């Protein structure tokens, strides 16, 4: 067992290593990495398993992997940094800095609404190619002409892909750069929103489990009502549901080099667990966003049944908060924040416990079918504090 994971774990966090190695050994993970910082100090940095099932290439120290919606936590931070630099703008109407947006019933929408998934723009009204999705100006123009599908202030619903182009436009309009460029220059150059050639040379390939392991269930803590699971399963099977429409246009083929290079600011982050955990450690440590602004950003703004996801979600300013859609162990539920990704990745931090955590696997598993990988590791971290 000792040779399954490479890297380092502080003896106080040895059970994190035990769980991680067990996940690789028993097939829960194909390949993966986990990293933890406490009070700005690295206490766990582990990796292991297979990066590419086709070739057997091992997961190495610097193997990067798509993290899907973990991207949103980085994009939200970029927007907060820009707001901090210019002295505000969170509650201004979006039309004050993006005039084309103030049409079709969107005049009162603010950046806060965009960051809390309340804008009513979770889907794109026409098919979009990977090439168009790589052009933030084109995506902004498309969204500016759309009408919300619910009245402002009445509902919230997960903007799976459009979140990035909406919130990212605040960054682009005020800095002249994309979220990916801003992130590399001002946050962490190892966070690739738009995978470079060097990053792509050792990228992990996403795999899926066999069909018998993809059955939906209520294996969840706390449990999700069975009728909610049934409704979500039906939504996934319905190509016209908001769930499918929000997540599948443009088609997120993360084996496509054009998609990986496209820098989608809601789902395109390719990185290591080390870099993601370092990002959250820097965020909690105050080097990216002032602590007062961070506390404002992680304060709960919305909670309840998500119009798109169909289950409870909760958000601060771009960061997801503990909920049915972002399950955390009990000690983390009050002050943790971050964002999960569709493949099982999680990046999170806790401003009170001064913990930063990242887990990135390349085996996609269904969260509601017992995908407790990150949850178990996070619980072990809190047990070790």
């Amino acid at each position: 067992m000792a040779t399954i994971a490479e890297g380092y774990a502080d003896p106080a966090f040895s059970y994190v290593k035990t769980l991680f190695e067990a996940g690789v050994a028993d097939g829960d993970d194909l390949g993966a990495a986990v990293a933890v910082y406490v009070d700005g100090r690295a206490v766990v940095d582990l990796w292991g398993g297979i990066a590419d099932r086709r070739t057997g290439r091992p997961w190495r120290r610097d193997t990067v992997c798509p993290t899907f919606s973990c991207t949103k936590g980085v994009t939200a931070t970029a927007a907060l940094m820009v707001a901090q630099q210019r002295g505000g703008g969170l509650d201004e109407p979006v039309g004050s800095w993006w005039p084309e947006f103030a049409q079709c019933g969107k005049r009162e929408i603010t950046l806060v609404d965009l960051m809390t998934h309340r804008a009513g723009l979770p889907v794109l009204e026409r098919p979009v190619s990977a090439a168009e999705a790589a052009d933030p100006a084109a995506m902004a123009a498309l969204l500016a002409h759309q009408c919300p599908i619910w009245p402002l202030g009445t509902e919230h619903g997960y903007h799976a892909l459009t979140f990035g182009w909406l919130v990212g436009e605040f960054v682009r309009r005020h800095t002249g750069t994309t979220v990916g460029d801003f992130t590399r220059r001002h946050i962490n150059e190892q966070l690739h929103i738009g995978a470079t050639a060097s990053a792509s040379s050792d990228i992990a390939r996403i795999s899926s489990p066999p069909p018998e392991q993809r059955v939906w269930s209520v294996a969840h803590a706390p449990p999700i009502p069975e009728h909610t699971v049934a409704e979500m399963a039906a939504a996934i099977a319905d190509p016209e549901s908001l769930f499918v429409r929000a997540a599948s246009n443009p088609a997120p083929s993360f084996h496509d080099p054009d998609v990986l290079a496209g820098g989608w600011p809601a789902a395109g982050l390719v990185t290591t667990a080390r870099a993601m955990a370092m990002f959250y450690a820097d965020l909690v440590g105050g080097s990216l966003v002032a602590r007062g602004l961070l506390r404002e950003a992680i304060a709960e703004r919305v909670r309840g049944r998500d119009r798109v996801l169909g289950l409870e979600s909760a958000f601060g300013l771009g960061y997801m908060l503990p909920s049915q859609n972002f399950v955390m162990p009990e000690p983390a539920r009050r002050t943790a924040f971050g964002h999960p990704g569709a493949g099982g990745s999680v990046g999170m931090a806790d401003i009170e416990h001064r913990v930063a955590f990242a887990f990135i696997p390349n085996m996609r598993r269904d969260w509601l079918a017992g995908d407790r990988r990150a949850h178990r590791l996070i619980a072990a971290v809190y047990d070790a504090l």
Side-chain angles (χ1 to χ4, degrees):
M1 182 72 73
T3 61
I4 289 176
E6 297 184 73
Y8 167 78
D10 184 287
F13 294 83
S14 61
Y15 190 54
V16 176
K17 182 179 181 182
T18 298
L19 287 174
F20 178 78
E21 290 187 321
V24 175
D26 66 17
D28 266 3
D29 297 311
L30 177 63
V34 60
V36 183
Y37 283 74
V38 177
D39 268 328
R41 182 176 71 89
V43 296
V44 175
D45 183 8
L46 299 169
W47 61 92
I50 302 299
D52 190 334
R53 172 181 275 166
R54 302 169 308 167
T55 64
R57 172 167 54 90
W59 195 296
R60 303 181 179 91
R61 182 181 188 276
D62 293 321
T63 294
V64 297
C65 186
T67 67
F68 304 93
S69 284
C70 292
T71 314
K72 293 181 178 68
V74 179
T75 295
T77 301
L80 290 170
M81 292 172 69
V82 173
Q84 180 174 260
Q85 291 165 5
R86 66 186 294 267
L90 295 172
D91 293 307
E92 296 174 0
V94 172
S96 67
W97 47 266
W98 180 4
E100 301 89 338
F101 186 83
Q103 58 181 299
C104 199
K106 304 196 297 297
R107 187 174 298 275
E108 302 302 318
I109 291 176
T110 67
L111 180 59
V112 169
D113 296 317
L114 300 185
M115 297 180 79
T116 53
H117 300 261
R118 294 187 297 197
L121 298 166
V123 301
L124 295 164
E125 292 180 344
R126 65 167 176 79
V128 171
S129 68
E132 190 173 8
D135 182 348
M139 298 307 295
L142 180 59
L143 287 162
H145 286 87
Q146 286 193 192
C147 299
I149 61 176
W150 59 74
L152 181 63
T154 62
E155 299 189 74
H156 77 280
Y158 190 53
H159 290 47
L161 296 175
T162 58
F163 174 95
W165 294 299
L166 291 166
V167 176
E169 191 65 3
F170 180 75
V171 175
R172 197 177 74 89
R173 294 260 168 168
H174 290 98
T175 68
T177 65
T178 65
V179 170
D181 286 340
F182 183 92
T183 297
R184 281 188 289 274
R185 295 175 186 175
H186 302 291
I187 299 179
N188 186 322
E189 64 181 5
Q190 298 304 313
L191 300 173
H192 307 283
I193 303 178
T196 63
S198 59
S200 298
S201 64
D202 195 23
I203 193 167
R205 185 176 178 85
I206 301 297
S207 294
S208 296
E212 64 271 15
Q213 296 182 21
R214 302 178 202 171
V215 178
W216 283 64
S217 75
V218 291
H220 205 278
I224 292 177
E226 192 167 353
H227 68 85
T228 300
V229 175
E231 290 171 1
M232 294 178 67
I236 286 181
D238 179 4
E240 296 304 315
S241 70
L242 282 181
F243 186 103
V244 173
R245 293 168 61 204
S248 62
N249 180 29
S253 175
F254 290 95
H255 295 152
D256 183 341
D258 291 337
V259 171
L260 293 171
W264 299 5
L269 176 64
V270 177
T271 191
T272 63
R274 182 185 316 105
M276 191 191 299
M278 186 183 300
F279 154 67
Y280 276 106
D282 289 342
L283 186 56
V284 169
S287 63
L288 299 176
V289 174
R291 288 185 65 83
L293 179 57
L294 180 59
R295 287 189 178 276
E296 180 182 349
I298 65 174
E300 184 177 300
R301 302 293 181 118
V302 296
R303 179 179 292 273
R305 186 179 187 275
D306 189 293
R307 173 74 181 275
V308 175
L309 297 175
L311 78 173
E312 179 201 56
S313 64
F315 296 96
L317 296 181
Y319 305 115
M320 194 174 282
L321 305 179
S323 62
Q324 285 181 334
N325 194 56
F326 191 34
V327 178
M328 286 286 133
E330 193 281 330
R333 291 175 192 165
R334 188 176 64 85
T335 52
F337 67 97
H339 220 288
S345 294
V346 170
M348 57 79 65
D350 187 324
I351 196 169
E352 296 299 334
H353 292 89
R354 297 185 65 80
V355 168
F357 170 94
F359 171 68
I360 302 178
N362 64 345
M363 174 68 82
R364 295 191 65 167
R365 291 192 178 276
D366 182 358
W367 185 258
L368 292 183
D371 184 356
R372 313 306 302 145
R373 295 173 294 175
H375 183 274
R376 289 192 295 262
L377 292 166
I378 294 169
V381 169
Y382 277 83
D383 287 344
L385 296 178

